[in-house]
Amino acid sequence: MKPCMIPGRRSNKLLDLVFLAVAGVLGGCHHELPIPSQPAKAVRLATVAATQASGETLRYSASILPYAQVDLAFRTSGYVTGVKQVQGADGRTRDIGTGDYVEKGAILAHVRLEDMKNQVAQAQAQLDQAVAQHTQADQDFGRAKVLFSTQSLTKPDYDQSQEKFNSTQASVDNAKAALRQAELTLGDSDLKAPFSGFLLNRYIDMGSLVSPSSPAFTIADISSAKATFGVPDYALGRVRLGQQLGITLQEDVTPFVGYVTSISPSADTKNRVFTVEVTVKNRGARLKPGMIASLGLGQVSHTSDASVPLSAIIPCPSKPGCFAVMIAREQAGKWTASLREVQLGATNESSIAVGGVQAGEKVIAVGAQLLKDGDLIEVIP
């Protein structure tokens, strides 16, 4: 007699075997896989070179500017009814203009006086009216005082009389101020030279309508002149206030003697130079605004311990406006990049003098811009 078979028993054993096989596979996949390291980046190196002291003669071109220059404009609007007349080189009389010399206080032009006189008359009439009203208010207030002292006038009526007296007094003060202003405007109908000098431009003619916003003349004082030039930071130490300097024109052998009167406290953001101003006595008015002169500061020496290729210089990531290089270091057969801030000096063709590195060190000349501090590198020839 055959033993009884339990239905489904064989199929359950097959499922158990499959489950154990899958569990074994999953158990083997539970181990953590190693994280691949960043590959080394290919770079080219350069050796920091020692540099020698060098010198150069410091000569600069200076722009000649007038000692003082101003645009003259009328204080009020009006029509020009007169321009100063001078005798021209041809003997004929003409309006004063560009290149003419004028003395301080000279009347260059004037506007129509009737307009200003009408303003004065109007201001005077307003003052007379205000004085009359104040006189009446003063009399009324005097009577109010007497009546109030005898209790024949109420307090509100007394206060009203006093308020009218104070109001008319303020009106008189305002009218006096308006009259003085109108008289000043009348006096300013003549446009006068504020100092002695040469006219650089004339913008008006007889009959022109002028206003305070439009210049009538440009006048310049060139009894002294200003020579301005820019020096780099390494030469700034050779300039000091009050220093005497010689300034020459291209066609003039005899130098002018000037003194340093201004040194800019900050460098120009575009060309990185400091503006220096030298004041020169302009004998014979030979120095004209716009001329180019030359001057010298002697010889200056550049000294630096090391230089690197220009391609090795990169912006310092943590300090805007500063610069750095990537130093290549070898340890246990592996090369790494190390960031180091440097101070820049003078350039010489494709190299630049720097401070902060030593001669003989290795810097990354190609590929430094793509690296971070501590990155692995692969040196290629």
Side-chain angles (χ1 to χ4, degrees), residues 8-268:
R9 180 65 177 269
R10 184 177 180 181
S11 59
N12 288 341
K13 289 182 178 181
L14 182 59
L15 291 174
D16 292 340
L17 292 175
V18 172
F19 175 78
L20 292 175
V22 172
V25 173
L26 294 176
C29 294
H30 182 69
H31 298 290
E32 295 183 358
L33 297 176
I35 299 175
S37 59
Q38 293 292 335
K41 298 179 180 179
V43 298
R44 284 191 172 92
L45 304 183
T47 302
V48 178
T51 57
Q52 301 293 329
S54 61
E56 65 171 319
T57 300
L58 298 179
R59 295 203 63 84
Y60 298 96
S61 295
S63 298
I64 302 300
L65 302 176
Y67 181 77
Q69 178 176 323
V70 65
D71 290 332
L72 304 180
F74 285 95
R75 193 168 176 268
T76 185
S77 300
Y79 287 98
V80 177
T81 56
V83 178
K84 181 178 176 62
Q85 299 294 297
V86 295
Q87 188 174 7
D90 56 0
R92 294 186 297 177
T93 302
R94 59 173 177 80
D95 292 344
I96 196 170
T98 301
D100 291 327
Y101 182 82
V102 294
E103 296 288 346
K104 178 180 179 180
I107 298 176
L108 305 179
H110 56 263
V111 294
R112 189 168 59 191
L113 294 178
E114 285 74 10
D115 297 334
M116 287 49 167
K117 290 180 179 179
N118 289 338
Q119 293 178 7
V120 173
Q122 183 179 6
Q124 183 64 57
Q126 292 176 350
L127 176 60
D128 294 341
Q129 182 180 3
V131 169
Q133 293 175 350
H134 180 63
T135 302
Q136 182 63 43
D138 185 28
Q139 295 175 355
D140 294 343
F141 186 50
R143 287 192 296 268
K145 286 181 180 179
V146 174
L147 295 174
F148 185 71
S149 64
T150 60
Q151 297 184 353
S152 300
L153 187 69
T154 62
K155 185 66 166 57
D157 291 337
Y158 174 80
D159 293 340
Q160 183 178 4
S161 180
Q162 184 179 20
E163 181 180 355
K164 185 176 181 181
F165 172 81
N166 294 335
S167 176
T168 55
Q169 179 64 58
S171 298
V172 171
D173 294 339
N174 289 335
K176 288 181 178 179
L179 178 59
R180 289 194 298 268
Q181 185 65 38
E183 291 173 346
L184 287 175
T185 302
L186 177 61
D188 290 336
S189 61
D190 293 333
L191 187 62
K192 300 178 181 179
F195 50 78
S196 300
F198 288 89
L199 295 182
L200 301 185
N201 287 294
R202 176 170 62 87
Y203 306 101
I204 61 171
D205 291 296
M206 185 77 70
S208 298
L209 177 61
V210 296
S211 66
S213 61
S214 58
F217 297 90
T218 299
I219 186 173
D221 178 9
I222 60 173
S223 58
S224 294
K226 296 178 182 179
T228 60
F229 62 100
V231 298
D233 52 358
Y234 62 80
L236 190 62
R238 300 181 65 87
V239 184
R240 66 184 184 279
L241 289 176
Q243 179 181 0
Q244 180 176 314
L245 294 176
I247 300 174
T248 57
L249 300 176
Q250 293 181 356
E251 72 283 356
D252 197 345
V253 179
T254 305
F256 293 81
V257 177
Y259 296 89
V260 177
T261 53
S262 175
I263 302 175
S264 176
S266 61
D268 187 273

